[in-house]
Amino acid sequence: MIQFRAVTKSAALAAVIGALTLTACSGDQAGTSGGDTNFVQGTGEITQVAASEREQAPDISGETLQGEQLSLSDYRGDVVVLNVWGSWCAPCRAEAPHLVEVAEETADQGVSFLGINTRDRDRAPAEAFERRFDVPYPSLYDPSGQLILQFPNGSLNPQAIPSTLIIDREGNIAARALKPLSADELRDALQPVLDEE
């Protein structure tokens, strides 16, 4: 039984990495998701969810690129912009200045930004990315995609690189973008969540 679980987890991780490889940074759209979800994925649009229909985000945690321990729950009470990125991803490089701009604009409005760096087998390129774009917020280091696997299937999980989730003050997933975002797109997706009491 233990061997079966290990094989199943390895197979699931391989499937996620394979799917990310097919969709990451290619500009292709993934189409609708399987299972019993009603969410369309990979359309280049931002999906927003009414407060009454949101699912709880998993409390992902781990080590940042700088070697500090961090959990998503550390930000409870703030609106969180969670961005999945890789230093090797051209659309991630294109959107990085926009994320930095909005992070700096909203720093005193109860908004926290957190990255998940994925598929960078070595920290050095990811650290160089953060220096190049002067990223003011931390990123969890997730070279094998284990943190992404913690988001349940059929939810608004980050399934492409780049992906951005907006998590409300209660820790629920309020919006998802499976595309690189402009500053205006991010502001437009963020504002309704900020306006919630």
Side-chain angles (χ1 to χ4, degrees):
M1 188 65 148
I2 292 173
Q3 286 181 324
F4 176 76
R5 285 185 183 166
V7 170
T8 301
K9 189 171 185 175
S10 296
L13 178 59
V16 167
I17 290 173
L20 290 173
T21 300
L22 291 174
T23 61
C25 301
S26 68
D28 293 337
Q29 297 178 349
T32 58
S33 63
D36 58 353
T37 178
N38 295 322
F39 302 118
V40 176
Q41 302 164 15
T43 63
E45 296 179 3
I46 299 170
T47 304
Q48 294 190 283
V49 181
S52 62
E53 299 175 13
R54 294 177 186 161
E55 292 185 49
Q56 186 82 23
D59 185 21
I60 58 172
S61 63
E63 190 172 281
T64 67
L65 285 168
Q66 289 71 36
E68 299 174 4
Q69 288 297 314
L70 190 65
S71 296
L72 183 58
S73 60
D74 295 340
Y75 297 96
R76 187 61 58 87
D78 285 355
V79 174
V80 177
V81 176
L82 180 66
N83 178 254
V84 179
W85 63 278
S87 67
W88 43 268
C89 169
C92 299
R93 291 191 295 273
E95 81 170 348
H98 305 296
L99 294 170
V100 169
E101 179 182 338
V102 178
E104 290 172 348
E105 283 176 11
T106 59
D108 62 352
Q109 298 176 34
V111 178
S112 294
F113 278 63
L114 177 62
I116 298 177
N117 169 258
T118 192
R119 293 180 51 207
D120 274 310
R121 297 292 181 195
D122 185 342
R123 290 175 191 247
E127 292 167 347
F129 179 102
E130 288 192 331
R131 285 191 304 271
R132 175 181 175 189
F133 295 106
D134 206 14
V135 177
Y137 50 85
S139 284
L140 294 166
Y141 182 55
D142 186 29
S144 61
Q146 291 293 325
L147 294 178
I148 295 169
L149 282 176
Q150 293 182 34
F151 288 83
N153 288 333
S155 70
L156 283 184
N157 52 346
Q159 298 180 345
I161 303 169
S163 291
T164 302
L165 300 180
I166 297 174
I167 300 170
D168 68 18
R169 293 177 183 93
E170 303 299 318
N172 299 316
I173 302 170
R176 177 187 65 183
L178 296 180
K179 59 174 276 180
L181 293 171
S182 70
D184 285 340
E185 288 172 320
L186 181 51
R187 288 184 194 103
D188 289 347
L190 190 54
Q191 196 58 54
V193 184
L194 276 175
D195 290 342
E196 294 171 359
E197 294 299 324

